Amino acid sequence: MEEQTKDFCYHKRIEIGREENPFLPIHAIVRDILRERIVTCDLAPGYRLKEVELADEIGVSRTTVRNALDALLAEGLLEKEGKRGLCVGRIPRAQCNQLREFRRLIDPIAAGLAATRRTMQDLAEMRRFMEACKSEDAQTFCEADSNFHYTIYVAAKNLYFLSAYDRIHADRKRVNYVFVDHFSKTDTWQYLTSKRDRMRESHAAILDAIERSDEAAARELASKHIELSLLLDVDEC
């Protein structure tokens, strides 16, 4: 029954994608389906991908799957394994640190721009995700935290900053999902209550500065917030 449900979802996704854009190649829809599974760790880091199995599972040709995998390889979500194999890419600790460095540089600028350009709708979205961060469920919290920061980039009203964030968004969500899995297996989540509370307070302060159009405060608070990251001391994700 579960496999039948999954097959139906694949077929429905492809059908909807073609209805929305009849000129969209099927491999682009399959790419998006597989990207989502990778980002949410349904396909875990290191998982070996097999064209035949994926083609049968999704109900498309091997060529379609191959084109989708080539696109994901170009995005850096897959790694070559052996001469012809592909597996879901791992995120080394060094890359996690680079992700933090990147955000340490551009998050404050985005927050400052958001303080001067935000709309009432932007503020409402930030507030919605900030409220969602009150959840004690690890996955819900991490997803809401990611969306809160994404909304700040939207509010900055700068295409290039949003494109830069889009570039790291998938990796950031993957890291979150990997850590959620780690939390659930090691009972670590319950020991991070104090840090989560500080993150929530930091979210509220950033939102307040953006709402008051205080560019300097928004920048400073966003810079300090990066140090509250939930990144754990692991070798790779």
Side-chain angles (χ1 to χ4, degrees), residues 170-185:
D171 282 349
R172 187 170 189 272
K173 290 185 73 172
R174 286 183 70 208
V175 169
N176 281 347
Y177 274 96
V178 169
F179 288 158
V180 166
D181 184 60
H182 179 87
F183 295 146
S184 63
K185 289 179 179 177

Side-chain angles (χ1 to χ4, degrees), residues 99-160:
L99 180 61
R100 178 183 281 184
E101 286 176 353
F102 181 83
R103 292 191 57 211
R104 187 181 288 121
L105 289 171
I106 70 169
D107 272 23
I109 301 175
L113 290 174
T116 64
R117 301 175 179 176
R118 87 292 184 281
T119 64
M120 296 304 294
Q121 182 178 349
D122 293 327
L123 292 173
E125 283 292 281
M126 288 180 217
R127 194 171 291 108
R128 180 165 72 90
F129 291 123
M130 185 181 73
E131 288 297 314
C133 281
K134 292 180 180 179
S135 173
E136 290 302 327
D137 175 72
Q139 182 171 319
T140 301
F141 177 91
C142 289
E143 186 75 16
D145 174 61
S146 178
N147 287 329
F148 175 81
H149 291 285
Y150 183 78
T151 305
I152 292 175
Y153 277 79
V154 172
K157 302 295 185 286
N158 184 299
L159 176 63
Y160 296 100

Side-chain angles (χ1 to χ4, degrees), residues 14 18 23-35 60-72:
I14 292 172
R18 296 307 297 274
F23 302 102
L24 186 67
I26 294 180
H27 78 261
I29 302 173
V30 173
R31 173 204 62 200
D32 292 345
I33 291 172
L34 294 176
R35 184 195 293 117
V60 295
S61 69
R62 289 183 61 183
T63 300
T64 297
V65 170
R66 188 178 306 119
N67 289 336
L69 295 179
D70 286 344
L72 293 171

Side-chain angles (χ1 to χ4, degrees), residues 1-234:
M1 181 63 70
E2 184 178 344
E3 288 301 318
Q4 291 178 348
T5 302
K6 186 177 288 188
D7 290 343
F8 173 78
C9 290
Y10 288 142
H11 295 155
K12 196 66 178 175
R13 284 281 298 273
I14 292 172
E15 181 182 325
I16 292 173
R18 296 307 297 274
E19 286 178 357
E20 291 177 347
N21 184 354
F23 302 102
L24 186 67
I26 294 180
H27 78 261
I29 302 173
V30 173
R31 173 204 62 200
D32 292 345
I33 291 172
L34 294 176
R35 184 195 293 117
E36 182 179 312
R37 293 185 63 189
I38 291 169
V39 167
T40 59
C41 293
D42 180 41
L43 297 176
Y47 180 84
R48 180 78 181 266
L49 296 165
K50 299 176 182 178
E51 284 183 13
V52 176
E53 290 182 1
L54 287 172
D56 289 342
E57 183 180 353
I58 300 174
V60 295
S61 69
R62 289 183 61 183
T63 300
T64 297
V65 170
R66 188 178 306 119
N67 289 336
L69 295 179
D70 286 344
L72 293 171
L73 179 64
E75 290 181 23
L77 289 175
L78 303 181
E79 297 173 356
K80 289 188 176 181
E81 189 175 65
K83 291 184 178 180
R84 301 181 61 184
L86 288 174
C87 68
V88 176
R90 300 167 180 84
I91 306 178
R93 181 64 186 179
Q95 187 174 343
C96 291
N97 289 334
Q98 290 171 16
L99 180 61
R100 178 183 281 184
E101 286 176 353
F102 181 83
R103 292 191 57 211
R104 187 181 288 121
L105 289 171
I106 70 169
D107 272 23
I109 301 175
L113 290 174
T116 64
R117 301 175 179 176
R118 87 292 184 281
T119 64
M120 296 304 294
Q121 182 178 349
D122 293 327
L123 292 173
E125 283 292 281
M126 288 180 217
R127 194 171 291 108
R128 180 165 72 90
F129 291 123
M130 185 181 73
E131 288 297 314
C133 281
K134 292 180 180 179
S135 173
E136 290 302 327
D137 175 72
Q139 182 171 319
T140 301
F141 177 91
C142 289
E143 186 75 16
D145 174 61
S146 178
N147 287 329
F148 175 81
H149 291 285
Y150 183 78
T151 305
I152 292 175
Y153 277 79
V154 172
K157 302 295 185 286
N158 184 299
L159 176 63
Y160 296 100
F161 270 94
L162 188 58
S163 295
Y165 195 82
D166 279 337
R167 175 65 184 83
I168 68 168
H169 197 48
D171 282 349
R172 187 170 189 272
K173 290 185 73 172
R174 286 183 70 208
V175 169
N176 281 347
Y177 274 96
V178 169
F179 288 158
V180 166
D181 184 60
H182 179 87
F183 295 146
S184 63
K185 289 179 179 177
T186 62
D187 292 326
T188 309
W189 185 247
Q190 61 181 312
Y191 298 110
L192 295 172
T193 301
S194 176
K195 175 169 279 192
R196 291 200 302 279
D197 287 342
R198 295 200 305 274
M199 289 179 71
R200 292 176 181 124
E201 291 170 2
S202 181
H203 285 158
I206 292 170
L207 176 56
D208 178 64
I210 292 175
E211 190 167 16
R212 290 186 290 105
S213 298
D214 190 335
E215 182 177 358
R219 282 175 175 256
E220 182 180 357
L221 290 164
S223 180
K224 290 179 179 178
H225 183 78
I226 303 301
E227 305 312 318
L228 293 174
S229 169
L230 289 176
L231 290 178
L232 300 178
D233 230 353
V234 294

